[in-house]
Structures are given as C-alpha cells and as structure tokens.
Amino acid sequence: MSDEVTKLQNEVKEEIKGLVSNVQAEVSKTTKETVDQKAKLAAMETKYTELHDKLSEIEVDNQQLKHLQNQFKNSDSNQKEKQEKAIKLEKKCFSDFLKVGAEKESFSAYMPRSDSGRELKELRTDIQEFGGYLVGTQYGSILESNRSELGSIAQDCNVVTLSAGVNSIEYPLDDDDIIQPTNVREGGGTSTTATENISNVALKVNDLMRKVTLTTSILDDGITNVEQWIARKVARGFALKEEAQILSGNGVNQAKGILTYDADASTSYGAYTRGRIQHINSGTAADIASDTGLDGLLELLKASYSSNAKMYMHSTTAFRLLKLKDGAGRPLLDPDYSKNPNGKMVYRGYPISVQQSMPVIAANIFAIAFGDLKEAYTVVRKNGFKIIKDIYTDDNNVIVKTSQRFGGAVTNFEAVKVMQVAS
C-alpha cells in the first residue's frame, strides 16, 4: 500500500515538476518577447522623432521658399514696371529731341536722369560689339523677301551661315577622290589604306554695303510705298553683286569667282586638279556655232553630278543657242514650250540658267559654266541684312545704309566645268 502511495507521490511530483518547467519556459519566453517589444518600441519612437524633426525642417524650408517666391514675384513685377516706365520715358525724350531739331543739340541732354539703369552709348557702324544697329525690322523683312523673290545664283550653291563672332572658316574640299574604299577578301583581314589627301579652303565673309539717301518729303508725300520700292531696288542690287562675285570675284576682299580659277590642262572625262577647273574650247573662233563644243562640255562632268546640273550663261548666249540647229536641221534647244510652260530653256535635258553677270560671247571669253553648284561652290554669309537709318547727318534727308557680309569659293573642282570661246 505504501509503495503505491510512494509511486503516486513520485508521479505527482514529476507532473508538478513538468508543469513548473512549462510555466518557467512560458515566463522566460514572455519576458524575452517583452524585451524585444520594448526594443522595437524604442526604435520606433526614435524613428518617429527623426521623421518629426525632418518634417519640421521641410515645413520651415517650405515657408522660406514661399517667402522667396513672393519676393521674386514682387521684384519681377517692379522690374517690369520700371522697364516699361523707362522705355516710355526714353521714347518721349527721343520724340522731343526730333521735334526740336536743333542742329547742335546733343541727344544726351534729353536723356532722363533716372534709376532706369540705361546708359547712353555712342553707336558705331564698323564694330557691332562697340555699339548697336538701328534696325528697321519692316524694311529688313522687305529686303529678305525681295531677295528671295528675285533670286540669285547663290540659291543654287551650298550656303553656310556663320554664327556670331565667326568671320571665317576652314572648309574641306569635297570631291570623289577623298575617301576611296578597298576590296577585302573574306577571311583575309584588313590592310592599312593609304593616307588620303584632304585639303581645306579658307572661306571668309566680306562686307557689301549700299547707302541710299531719301528726302523726308518723298517719304511723307510719295504716291507709292517708297520704303518697299527702295527695298526692292536694294535687294536686286545685292542679288546682282552676289551673282557677279560668285562668277567673277577676284577673291580679294570679296568672293572667289568660278571663272577666275586657272584651267585644268586635261580635257578628258573625270580628270581634274584641285585648284583648277576644266575648260573646253567652243571650236569656233569668237562664237559658239555648233553642238560639238556644247556636247563636249557635258561629257566632262561625272555622272554623279549630272542629276542636279545646270548650264549658266548670259541671255545673249542663250538666245544665240536658240538659233542653232543640228545637222538634220533640228533646233539644239527644244522649241516645244508646251512641255515647259515656264519658258525655261533646256539643252539635252539640262536647264539653262540665265545670269547677266556671265560674259557675252567673244574671243577667249568663258561663256558657259556647267555643273552642280550645290556641290561645287560654297557661299558663306552672316544672317540677314543690317540696316542703319541715319536721320541726323543730313538735314531734311534720311540716309539708309544697308549691308550684309558675304563670301565664297569653289570647294569641289570636279563638279563644275567651263566653256571658253575660241580666239
């Protein structure tokens, strides 16, 4: 009996011991979780504090930004108001100066002494950076539109517009002989090709200027729009000057003309020398009397330049060709203008461009140029016209000075050919 009691007691003790162990384990686990939770809570509190501080900084920065924006807005509004006020005041002073018209009055005496920040500068026509140009925008736009309408041989050329501060460039000569590929055998690798002969030509802009004097009376009382009329005349003059220089300019303070280059000694197809232009003889003394010389001229030009090629000649030369016939009695130029409603003359499918700056037929004269000028000739210019209206120098007159900067040279000597009339 006592053994059974002892056994039962031992079992109870073991069970109690197990329960105590479980309770102790649970308590230890709970304690550990509590410590971890406290650590996490502390970390969260630290992060919250950091984010709160950062948010406070952002709010402060936002307030400062709004303050700066308001300051800038007010400053910009004040600046615009001051600028408008200054411009209005200057216009009034300029108007007062013109109305007085005193011969020796200084314009500076009429300038306002204010906080406009404006300074009176002496204007120079020779150096733009030292002053400025009184540009008539309306007159300038009339010039540009009229030049485009009237046309110029420059429109057929490659035109490069130089940026501000740049008056000359080194332009690469462009021809079929610059980069030639080499055949390579499959699996044979590559070999070093010969060094190519690449050259440049210096292209510089030069000044073209025209001065026109108009009376104030004709401006006030003219029965036509004098400004448009003058602009058209000036634009035509500039177009003709460009045309003359592209064809016959000597290259000294002006463009280098196509007809002024030395002749290439060779007259065979595809042959050419840089710096020289191929010439062909007309075959008739002081005249062009047959299609032999004309066809010989066409034969000199490589096929790669034929698609955009034209023939350039004086109007008298063109009408001389209209009278010519081949051996079968057929006109050299196609007389069927129904195929060509604009009245443009064509020889062997190539357009004829009449240029009054081309020489008239005579012994030893270069009467016809033939080629693709977009490939052959490069024009350099500064953008647009510069116009100065001088109302002070001459009483009762307005002097309009119009200028532009222009230059050019041949940059591909195989893309253009010339016919020389026999002596």
Side-chain angles (χ1 to χ4, degrees):
M1 184 66 178
S2 66
D3 291 338
E4 292 179 358
V5 172
T6 301
K7 183 180 178 181
L8 184 59
Q9 287 176 341
N10 289 336
E11 290 177 355
V12 171
K13 285 180 182 180
E14 289 298 327
E15 187 175 352
I16 291 172
K17 188 185 291 186
L19 290 173
V20 170
S21 297
N22 290 338
V23 170
Q24 287 176 341
E26 288 294 329
V27 170
S28 176
K29 182 179 178 181
T30 303
T31 302
K32 184 179 179 182
E33 289 178 352
T34 302
V35 172
D36 292 342
Q37 288 176 353
K38 286 183 178 180
K40 289 181 180 179
L41 183 59
M44 290 176 63
E45 289 177 350
T46 303
K47 189 66 176 177
Y48 174 78
T49 303
E50 292 176 357
L51 291 175
H52 185 272
D53 293 342
K54 190 66 177 177
L55 182 60
S56 299
E57 291 178 5
I58 292 173
E59 289 178 351
V60 171
D61 291 343
N62 190 39
Q63 291 297 326
Q64 290 179 347
L65 179 61
K66 287 183 178 179
H67 181 66
L68 290 174
Q69 286 176 336
N70 290 332
Q71 284 185 333
F72 179 78
K73 186 176 180 180
N74 293 335
S75 175
D76 186 53
S77 177
N78 293 336
Q79 187 66 26
K80 282 185 178 179
E81 186 178 347
K82 284 184 178 181
Q83 187 177 14
E84 291 173 357
K85 184 178 179 181
I87 292 173
K88 185 176 180 181
L89 190 56
E90 287 170 5
K91 285 183 178 179
K92 181 180 181 303
C93 293
F94 191 75
S95 176
D96 291 344
F97 171 69
L98 294 180
K99 289 176 182 177
V100 173
E103 235 177 272
K104 296 183 180 180
E105 289 271 18
S106 170
F107 180 60
S108 60
Y110 290 84
M111 286 294 290
R113 300 293 184 260
S114 67
D115 59 350
S116 65
R118 303 278 182 167
E119 296 180 18
L120 180 64
K121 297 288 189 181
E122 178 183 1
L123 300 182
R124 294 184 59 171
T125 60
D126 55 346
I127 305 176
Q128 186 176 5
E129 287 76 9
F130 289 173
Y133 294 97
L134 299 176
V135 180
T137 54
Q138 181 181 2
Y139 183 81
S141 62
I142 295 171
L143 278 172
E144 290 287 1
S145 62
N146 277 317
R147 181 170 66 175
S148 299
E149 178 185 337
L150 292 167
S152 165
I153 194 173
Q155 295 179 0
D156 290 344
C157 301
N158 175 38
V159 179
V160 176
T161 301
L162 302 185
S163 57
V166 178
N167 295 318
S168 64
I169 58 172
E170 290 291 328
Y171 198 85
L173 293 178
D174 184 18
D175 49 53
D176 282 352
D177 194 40
I178 289 183
I179 303 295
Q180 295 289 355
T182 301
N183 290 326
V184 179
R185 177 174 57 84
E186 182 179 356
T190 59
S191 59
T192 303
T193 57
T195 301
E196 302 293 346
N197 181 20
I198 300 176
S199 302
N200 296 331
V201 60
L203 299 179
K204 178 185 177 182
V205 290
N206 302 284
D207 288 319
L208 291 175
M209 192 270 285
R210 178 65 184 179
K211 182 170 67 174
V212 179
T213 301
L214 307 172
T215 66
T216 54
S217 298
I218 195 172
L219 289 174
D220 293 338
D221 303 328
I223 60 175
T224 185
N225 189 321
V226 177
E227 188 174 34
Q228 287 189 2
W229 179 73
I230 289 294
R232 183 173 176 80
K233 299 280 282 184
V234 171
R236 181 57 178 164
F238 274 94
L240 289 174
K241 195 68 174 180
E242 288 181 359
E243 174 186 302
Q245 290 193 14
I246 290 171
L247 293 171
S248 303
N250 62 18
V252 179
N253 295 324
Q254 58 183 263
K256 176 73 171 172
I258 295 170
L259 305 181
T260 63
Y261 287 89
D262 294 335
D264 191 320
S266 174
T267 57
S268 60
Y269 169 82
Y272 76 100
T273 303
R274 286 179 182 171
R276 295 174 177 269
I277 293 179
Q278 279 186 292
H279 295 175
I280 193 168
N281 196 286
S282 68
T284 304
D287 199 2
I288 301 175
S290 70
D291 56 358
T292 303
L294 293 172
D295 290 345
L297 179 65
L298 302 187
E299 289 173 5
L300 291 179
L301 192 69
K302 284 186 177 180
S304 56
Y305 303 115
S306 296
S307 61
N308 197 40
K310 290 183 181 180
M311 302 183 78
Y312 298 88
M313 62 188 72
H314 194 276
S315 58
T316 58
T317 304
F319 283 102
R320 178 80 60 89
L321 298 185
L322 277 174
K323 300 176 184 178
L324 297 182
K325 299 180 179 181
D326 62 14
R330 295 169 299 191
L332 293 182
L333 304 189
D334 186 358
D336 187 0
Y337 289 105
S338 63
K339 298 179 182 178
N340 193 11
N342 293 325
K344 301 289 185 181
M345 291 177 283
V346 176
Y347 179 76
R348 307 292 194 204
Y350 293 104
I352 293 176
S353 177
V354 173
Q355 303 291 330
Q356 295 306 114
S357 296
M358 285 291 293
V360 177
I361 292 178
N364 295 318
I365 288 298
F366 302 123
I368 300 175
F370 173 66
D372 180 358
L373 293 194
K374 186 70 71 175
E375 294 286 341
Y377 199 92
T378 298
V379 168
V380 287
R381 66 165 93 242
K382 290 279 201 176
N383 228 347
F385 289 98
K386 293 184 178 69
I387 304 102
I388 301 175
K389 293 184 179 180
D390 180 1
I391 59 176
Y392 310 114
T393 303
D394 189 2
D395 289 344
N396 298 319
N397 290 303
V398 175
I399 301 173
V400 181
K401 296 179 182 179
T402 306
S403 65
Q404 71 164 338
R405 310 195 74 186
F406 169 85
V410 173
T411 51
N412 185 340
F413 289 91
E414 68 174 357
V416 62
K417 311 299 176 180
V418 174
M419 173 180 282
Q420 183 174 14
V421 180
S423 58

